[in-house]
Amino acid sequence: MYLNPSARSWTAQAATSDGDPRAVHRELPGFTPTPLIEVPDLAKELGVHRLLVKDEHLRAGLPSFKILGAAWAIFKGLGGTTSLKDLKVDPETTLVSATAGNHGRAVAYMAKLLNLKAHIFIPAGTALARIEAIRSEGAKVDVVDGDYQQAVDRATQRASEDPKALLAADVGDSMTPIWATQGYRTILHEIDEQLTEAPDLVVVPVGAGAFASAVVQHYRSDGARPKILTVEPDSAACLLKSLQAGEPVNVPGPHPSKMAGLNAGDVDTHAWPYLKNGVDAAVTVTDEETDEAMRDLADKDIVAGECGAASLAGVRAFREHLTKDSVVVLISTEGVHGISR
């Protein structure tokens, strides 16, 4: 476990987005705010006042929150200013990205929505259901004989070789990860509107850390200042190790975990300054712990995949730091793959 007692006093520069991602999100077919579900039984188990789950198992027809970042990043990358309907793009454009599953499917879906092509690179060992879900959106998928970083490298190379390609990445040095992070803040705005009181703790799963950096930017710039707890697989704890070292640390692959979307070996360069300064605590969890959390959430009629259930497993590992007055928000980032939308 890692603890940073000064995190809540740190102030992040207020995020700017050069437009309102929520306006673009509302144009997505089937878009509605996702529910914030109160679970009294889990609150009782953990000895807290309230526990709520932000349920991202179905967001605009896809089984994760990633469409929020992909939609805004692609919109901005294609020169969008006001509306998806006003985009003027070459139909020969190819959206290129690496993925562990959810982001790639979101990119492929946006390509289909905009009548473009998509080429997605995914690391070997990824569950077949995730690969087939991306292909079901009409994308070309290359399975890379390597880990997530090698998939990122292949995607970056592919995009650089094609003047009609847009690298629609959610990590790395391009602008699209910054735009993707801006898009993720729709979740935080919805929580603000849905919760009648300020949370004391927000729990977020972490892969490379782009979404977690959005959480930090939101809660360390203005308004409520809850504690922020990050959760990673014990086999891919690049953020925890980096926080402990005080600098980015690579965790070499392979990362044998069912939490495929969290199996990153490096913290995103854009995300790192926010995470280093603004995260209060970091823990790791095992596959067995997330399996149990999935079952327990299912018993409460909450559909969560391994990455989404990591939040519950993580707060259980952090329970000694909770109090009876705590209001806890768990962000469940994905549903169960293989369930058709």
Side-chain angles (χ1 to χ4, degrees):
M1 184 181 295
Y2 166 86
L3 298 172
N4 177 9
S6 65
R8 293 176 80 181
S9 62
W10 181 73
T11 298
Q13 182 177 353
T16 58
S17 59
D18 188 25
D20 184 3
R22 287 175 289 178
V24 170
H25 294 153
R26 285 191 285 267
E27 293 185 85
L28 297 171
F31 178 85
T32 58
T34 56
L36 184 66
I37 303 169
E38 185 139 18
V39 191
D41 288 350
L42 291 177
K44 182 177 180 180
E45 174 202 325
L46 292 165
V48 299
H49 177 52
R50 300 178 71 190
L51 185 140
L52 305 101
V53 177
K54 183 62 170 168
D55 179 6
E56 294 289 319
H57 92 272
L58 190 63
R59 174 67 85 164
L62 295 182
S64 89
F65 76 105
K66 286 286 190 174
I67 186 63
L68 299 175
W72 182 245
I74 291 165
F75 175 75
K76 297 297 291 182
L78 293 174
T81 56
T82 57
S83 170
L84 284 172
K85 297 174 184 176
D86 296 335
L87 276 178
K88 297 194 174 21
V89 294
D90 184 339
E92 293 303 309
T93 299
T94 300
L95 304 180
V96 181
S97 187
T99 189
N102 289 325
H103 177 70
R105 185 172 182 184
V107 170
Y109 175 78
M110 288 302 298
K112 183 170 68 174
L113 184 68
L114 298 171
N115 295 313
L116 305 177
K117 295 182 285 188
H119 191 172
I120 309 298
F121 294 82
I122 194 163
T126 302
L128 182 61
R130 292 178 182 264
I131 297 171
E132 291 305 317
I134 298 169
R135 288 184 173 136
S136 75
E137 307 293 351
K140 178 181 179 181
V141 179
D142 279 0
V143 179
V144 176
D145 186 16
D147 62 12
Y148 179 67
Q149 184 56 49
Q150 289 169 292
V152 170
D153 293 342
R154 286 281 304 278
T156 303
Q157 180 182 0
R158 162 70 176 85
S160 70
E161 295 169 348
D162 182 355
K164 292 190 175 183
L166 171 67
L167 181 62
D170 64 345
V171 297
D173 296 327
S174 68
M175 276 301 297
T176 54
I178 296 175
W179 290 323
T181 300
Q182 293 168 357
Y184 296 147
R185 290 191 69 184
T186 287
I187 295 174
L188 291 315
H189 290 301
E190 289 179 2
I191 292 173
D192 289 346
E193 293 165 357
Q194 293 166 326
L195 190 57
T196 57
E197 58 187 315
D200 297 295
L201 176 69
V202 175
V203 187
V204 56
V206 170
F211 176 48
S213 75
V215 175
V216 171
Q217 288 177 53
H218 185 78
Y219 289 118
R220 296 290 178 261
S221 56
D222 51 33
R225 283 182 171 261
K227 290 182 179 179
I228 297 170
L229 170 66
T230 62
V231 186
E232 297 171 279
D234 59 350
S235 60
C238 59
L239 177 58
L240 175 63
K241 293 183 183 299
S242 297
L243 291 171
Q244 290 171 334
E247 61 183 9
V249 172
N250 170 260
V251 177
H255 309 116
S257 170
K258 294 179 182 178
M259 292 168 271
L262 308 182
N263 287 346
D266 295 277
V267 179
D268 177 60
T269 54
H270 296 300
W272 170 243
Y274 296 97
L275 303 176
K276 177 184 177 182
N277 292 293
V279 167
D280 296 84
V283 297
T284 63
V285 294
T286 66
D287 281 353
E288 291 75 21
E289 288 167 334
T290 55
D291 283 344
E292 180 183 4
M294 284 178 66
R295 292 191 295 269
D296 292 342
L297 289 169
D299 287 343
K300 311 302 178 188
D301 296 322
I302 297 174
V303 178
E306 291 87 354
C307 298
S311 292
L312 175 55
V315 78
R316 283 171 165 164
F318 190 69
R319 73 174 71 205
E320 66 186 83
H321 299 277
L322 304 174
T323 71
K324 63 181 178 61
D325 298 320
S326 296
V327 175
V328 178
V329 173
L330 310 182
I331 302 179
S332 179
T333 52
E334 69 167 1
V336 177
H337 287 262
I339 295 178
S340 176
R341 72 169 186 269

